[in-house]
Amino acid sequence: MEVEKLLEEALRQKEVTRRSFLKMMAGLGLVGLAGSVGGCLRQEHVAAGGDGWLPYQYNIAGNWPSHVRGRVPIDPTNPSIVRDDRKCVLCGQCLEVCHRVQSVLGYYQLPIHDDIVCINCGQCTLACPTGAIQERDDIGKVVEALNDPDKFVVVQTAPSIRIALGEEFGMPPGTWVTGKMVAALRRLKFNAVLDTNFAADLTIMEEATELIKRIKGELPGKPLPQFTSCSPGWIKFCEYFYPDLIPHISSCKSPQQMFGATVKTYYAEQRGIDPRKIVSVSIMPCTAKKFEAQRPEMVSAREYWEKKKGSAFAKDVTRDVDVVLTTRELAKLIASRGIDFPHLPDEDFDPLMGKCTGGAIIFGASGGVMEAAIRTAYFFITGKEPPPQLLDLKPIRGLASVKEAAVDIPGAGTVRVAVCQGMAAGRQVLDIVRAGKAPWHFVEFMACPGGCESGGGQPRSSVPQANEVRAKRTATLYAADARWVWRESHENPDILKVYKDFYGHPMSELAEELLHTHYHSRAEKLTAIKPSEQKEPWQQYYPNYEARITPEI
């Protein structure tokens, strides 16, 4: 409770400066942390999906017999993806990615129970060679809001948008287009153009604090290792297949949802805007974000205003995030307005929730969330700035499907971490945790290979030769981090302001209400197959068909 006491004293003096705030956070320091187990994973530095030519880059041919190839089942009410049956050629590529990269299709018994199993990741939209599978188009909702003079439409943009949007306008993969993106959004008449990266820094403040509290044993029922919670596809995967491990998931909302809750409370109060008039729009690389925004838990702003002004007022405060567009949808909207994107001038984000650090920028790459968290956790534990090697943590960078690192912290010991991309790879780590043999304190999971920069809503130039494009996008994110003024989330002046003026300190009562959430089991929707009983998915549908052996390519 020493942090809360320091804060109360600072507030009594009505002075929370950058120095006093950071001194307060350094009070989280812990001692006696030590990692004693290692070498759990066999390190095979193979990129999730391989290096071949087919969509999603397989090195071997698909195992679906040619005359029984099919397609993934998609619920007509799926909030993330839809299929145009007129374009589907039953090539089976969506089956391959869902089974081999995401380990969803074929990992549950038939029949299913009151649910068409889907983690909403949208990787099938990238694998589909005809464009039959697309994100659900929500452009009309945004246009309607922009045309309503009574609405104040706020837009946030994820870190991965700025290194992929240019591809939709003929620019090379990985081109940094932040300034042009902001200029385009202003020409689309958004009332405020803000940055999800601000909320990424906010996430790190909360997540690093939670990690330290878990290590110190201050959060009963929340065991180690702590799992990241930024990827909604990963969260739903865990709810389906590993519900017993849900207590390991950080209670922190994703940056998208932290932003949505903050913009309809803190931002509304700071700007003097009626929260009932705010329409919160996010631009994401991820189709699963459409699903996440509709989760019943994501109405924290409404609950805040209900406590403050009553239910009659709060009933007109809509969801924390109202509409989610993918990178591809934003490109369509820009093109539909005749905006010459490549020749736009560079413009800056609006103030208050528009500043970020390099740690926030690298959220778009696999391993970026972990690296950013380690930087700030190091400061919280030691009260000192992290050494240069923690600003370039190479063991958890790159396209390897599973990565590990051990970080020595003076006076504390060794913090062991793991990073997974693609849920088939994630199963390796989850099975170790389930068996009680995990050596790690913190694990990052990203549903999509490469992380958010290769999300299901990104430009389809990601295939073929996906890894080459992923590498270029990732390199741009890390280059931006290296040149940024602030590298660590606790340095962001907008973050200091939001804690001073609104949240108080990480994991305060108000922060818990607006920035944290909970998840629930979906195991009753399916019967998961044990690894020892695993078969190819076509064998479930055609159990009497004897497969021919397919040669390696």
Side-chain angles (χ1 to χ4, degrees), residues 296-315:
E297 303 91 350
M298 303 304 175
V299 289
S300 300
R302 182 188 301 165
E303 295 167 353
Y304 170 87
W305 288 109
E306 187 171 5
K307 289 181 180 179
K308 194 162 187 176
K309 290 198 173 183
S311 56
F313 180 92
K315 69 180 178 65

Side-chain angles (χ1 to χ4, degrees), residues 15-32:
E15 181 183 9
V16 182
T17 63
R18 179 180 186 275
R19 179 176 299 230
S20 64
F21 182 86
L22 295 181
K23 180 180 178 182
M24 175 190 76
M25 293 313 303
L28 281 171
L30 58 95
V31 295

Side-chain angles (χ1 to χ4, degrees), residues 6 23 28 54 147 273 279 286 294 324 327 341 347 368 429 439 441 480 497 501-502 537:
L6 284 167
K23 180 180 178 182
L28 281 171
L54 288 175
N147 290 336
I273 301 168
V279 177
C286 172
Q294 296 184 22
V324 179
T327 311
F341 184 84
E347 298 181 8
V429 169
H441 300 94
K497 179 173 174 56
D501 296 342
F502 192 64

Side-chain angles (χ1 to χ4, degrees), residues 91-218:
C91 69
Q93 290 306 315
C94 55
L95 298 170
E96 290 287 317
V97 69
C98 193
H99 176 62
R100 300 200 180 284
V101 176
Q102 301 301 60
S103 68
V104 174
L105 186 74
Y107 282 77
Y108 52 87
Q109 294 180 2
L110 298 178
I112 53 177
H113 314 298
D114 190 35
D115 194 12
I116 294 179
V117 180
C118 177
I119 64 171
N120 304 88
C121 67
Q123 288 298 300
C124 55
T125 72
L126 298 181
C128 180
T130 65
I133 306 177
Q134 301 266 3
E135 66 271 80
R136 184 172 291 279
D137 191 332
D138 290 312
I139 295 174
K141 296 177 183 178
V142 174
V143 171
E144 180 181 359
L146 291 171
N147 290 336
D148 187 341
D150 292 329
K151 299 297 183 184
F152 188 91
V153 189
V154 178
V155 64
Q156 58 166 307
T157 60
S160 295
I161 307 302
R162 64 208 70 195
I163 47 91
L165 180 60
E167 295 171 33
E168 292 288 280
F169 298 94
M171 303 171 80
T175 302
W176 182 262
V177 296
T178 305
K180 298 181 188 304
M181 175 187 69
V182 172
L185 291 168
R186 288 216 175 89
R187 283 150 183 76
L188 291 172
K189 306 301 183 185
F190 283 96
N191 298 102
V193 182
L194 303 174
D195 197 354
T196 312
N197 282 358
F198 161 85
D201 282 327
L202 193 60
T203 300
I204 290 301
M205 297 294 289
E206 296 292 323
E207 199 162 47
T209 302
E210 181 184 357
L211 174 63
I212 294 169
K213 286 180 176 289
R214 284 190 189 229
I215 293 173
K216 294 171 71 174
E218 295 181 0

